[in-house]
Amino acid sequence: MKLSPRWIAFLLAGIVSSITMLFLSFIPECTTNILFVAGAGSFLTAFFTAYVMLDILLLKEVKQIYDTLQKLKIGDLDINKKSVFRSFNPFNKLNNEISDYVNAKQTEIDELKRMEAFRREFLADVSHELKTPIFAAQGFVHTLLDGAKDDPSVAKRFLKKAAKSLDGLDALVRDLVVLTQVETGDIKMNFEIVDIVSITEDIFEQLENKADKRGIHLKIKPKGIKECAVVADAQRIYQVLTNFIDNGIKYGKENGRVSVEFQEFDEHYLIVVEDDGPGISADHLARIFERFYRVDKSRSRETGGTGLGLAIVKHILNAHKSTINVTSTAETGTRFSFTLSKGI
């Protein structure tokens, strides 16, 4: 016979009741009615006490622990904690401990799966991005080896194209190294008080020729501002502003403008980089900080973009405890903004 909590409680209650009645039967004053009442009372009390102890406080919790272990065996980690008397039942506490451990492992497994999917996507993107310049340079070199080298004009043209592909490959590898170092924290920020207006002027000088070729006017606002002292890593903020301004020059409309504006607040400066280019549509805007994401893939490659610049910028500004805000309107332009703490 399969013993259930009810049958076990019934047997225990019968034993307790029998012992009670047997003990009372040796007392001369105990009548049959007293024995019956004592036996019935002890039976009911023992039955319900044993049933509650066995079924609610013990067997249900043990069964739940068993079910939890069975789920672990089949890899089902979706475990819900449902029980009563949580405050004093040791089996319940044990079950809760197992559930907490399993749920923590489930979170860890989910994160590992997410990172694994990210790594696969990242490797696929890197392979694709590396393949383009490598195949291009390889094609030009093999063409030269197949006889094009004998024609000086053709050889020079193909060598220039191969060099351009290799330059693009070099830029991609350097950006990959920087992005990896920033993400892993290998690059430590050297925070100091720097003049961001001076940094912007230096960038304008570096990019002046590129801007002139497209007829783009570079402007600092407000007019006549001399200095903005902020706490930042000068080299990394130079990289951030260079990326924003260079993108404005490359992707903005010809004979347009790119401006950098500084707005002063109580404890920080708001830096705004704005162009009057074609803008970025809403479906692209949410993804422009992803690795290798390009709004216009063909045009980005033509202008030398690696697709990693904005991803690097995002991590650099995160290290400065700042975030990037971007707004864009079609045929009106794009506006990037971030904040930096004031230098004392």
Side-chain angles (χ1 to χ4, degrees):
M1 180 179 66
K2 184 179 180 181
L3 293 179
S4 67
R6 187 174 300 171
W7 274 107
I8 295 174
F10 184 85
L11 292 174
L12 289 174
I15 293 172
V16 171
S17 176
S18 299
I19 292 173
T20 302
M21 291 176 66
L22 180 63
F23 177 78
L24 292 176
S25 66
F26 289 103
I27 301 174
E29 291 80 5
C30 285
T31 63
T32 304
N33 289 336
I34 293 175
L35 289 175
F36 176 78
V37 172
S42 61
F43 179 86
L44 293 174
T45 301
F47 176 81
F48 285 109
T49 301
Y51 182 74
V52 169
M53 292 291 293
L54 288 171
D55 188 52
I56 297 179
L57 298 184
L58 179 61
L59 295 182
K60 277 191 175 179
E61 291 298 336
V62 172
K63 182 179 182 301
Q64 191 169 351
I65 293 173
Y66 176 78
D67 292 341
T68 299
L69 295 176
Q70 287 298 110
K71 287 185 176 182
L72 287 175
K73 285 183 179 180
I74 63 175
D76 180 8
L77 302 183
D78 184 17
I79 297 172
N80 297 317
K81 296 182 290 184
K82 295 181 180 178
S83 186
V84 295
F85 307 117
R86 294 179 182 273
S87 60
F88 62 84
N89 186 354
F91 288 98
N92 176 263
K93 290 181 179 179
L94 175 60
N95 187 51
N96 287 343
E97 288 294 328
I98 294 174
S99 298
D100 289 340
Y101 175 79
V102 171
N103 288 330
K105 287 299 177 183
Q106 179 64 60
T107 301
E108 183 179 336
I109 290 170
D110 290 341
E111 179 64 16
L112 289 173
K113 287 181 178 178
R114 188 187 69 82
M115 293 302 296
E116 178 61 26
F118 170 78
R119 280 192 291 269
R120 285 198 300 268
E121 182 181 350
F122 182 69
L123 286 173
D125 288 338
V126 170
S127 300
H128 176 74
E129 295 295 331
L130 291 174
K131 179 177 66 177
T132 302
I134 290 174
F135 281 8
Q138 187 181 40
F140 295 135
V141 170
H142 280 295
T143 301
L144 290 170
L145 292 175
D146 289 340
K149 66 180 183 298
D150 297 330
D151 186 334
S153 61
V154 174
K156 184 176 181 180
R157 187 172 76 253
F158 274 52
L159 285 172
K160 285 183 177 179
K161 290 182 178 181
K164 184 178 180 181
S165 296
L166 293 174
D167 288 342
L169 179 62
D170 176 64
L172 176 60
V173 172
R174 282 189 283 108
D175 279 354
L176 279 171
V177 171
V178 171
L179 180 61
T180 302
Q181 290 175 333
V182 171
E183 287 185 335
T184 57
D186 291 339
I187 292 181
K188 303 299 181 183
M189 297 295 162
N190 180 28
F191 293 107
E192 57 185 339
I193 298 176
V194 298
D195 178 16
I196 197 166
V197 174
S198 176
I199 290 175
T200 304
E201 290 173 344
D202 289 344
I203 296 170
F204 278 3
E205 288 182 8
Q206 292 292 325
L207 299 177
E208 186 177 8
N209 290 336
K210 182 182 287 189
D212 288 342
K213 289 179 180 179
R214 303 198 70 232
I216 292 177
H217 177 61
L218 303 177
K219 182 179 181 182
I220 292 178
K221 298 187 332 186
K223 186 177 180 180
I225 188 171
K226 298 297 182 183
E227 182 182 29
C228 284
V230 297
V231 178
D233 182 311
Q235 179 183 356
R236 299 304 167 189
I237 287 301
Y238 188 101
Q239 188 175 359
V240 168
L241 286 173
T242 298
N243 186 279
F244 287 146
I245 296 167
D246 188 53
N247 282 346
I249 294 171
K250 287 192 295 188
Y251 306 123
K253 66 181 181 182
E254 291 190 8
N255 302 315
R257 60 168 178 79
V258 174
S259 66
V260 180
E261 182 178 2
F262 304 98
Q263 300 178 18
E264 184 177 3
F265 293 88
D266 291 338
E267 297 181 352
H268 65 270
Y269 280 101
L270 176 68
I271 297 94
V272 180
V273 182
E274 190 173 14
D275 64 58
D276 59 353
I280 303 171
S281 62
D283 55 333
H284 291 299
L285 202 61
R287 301 189 60 189
I288 58 174
F289 295 104
E290 295 178 10
R291 299 172 181 82
F292 300 112
Y293 189 81
R294 294 182 175 93
V295 176
D296 186 340
K297 291 180 171 51
S298 60
R299 187 179 177 193
S300 295
R301 289 197 175 92
E302 288 173 1
T303 54
T306 64
L308 294 172
L310 288 178
I312 294 172
V313 162
K314 179 182 177 181
H315 285 287
I316 291 174
L317 290 178
N318 285 343
H320 283 74
K321 294 182 172 55
S322 180
T323 56
I324 309 171
N325 294 307
V326 54
T327 57
S328 188
T329 306
E331 304 305 325
T332 300
T334 303
R335 182 181 189 269
F336 291 93
S337 63
F338 61 95
T339 60
L340 292 174
S341 299
K342 279 185 176 180
I344 299 175

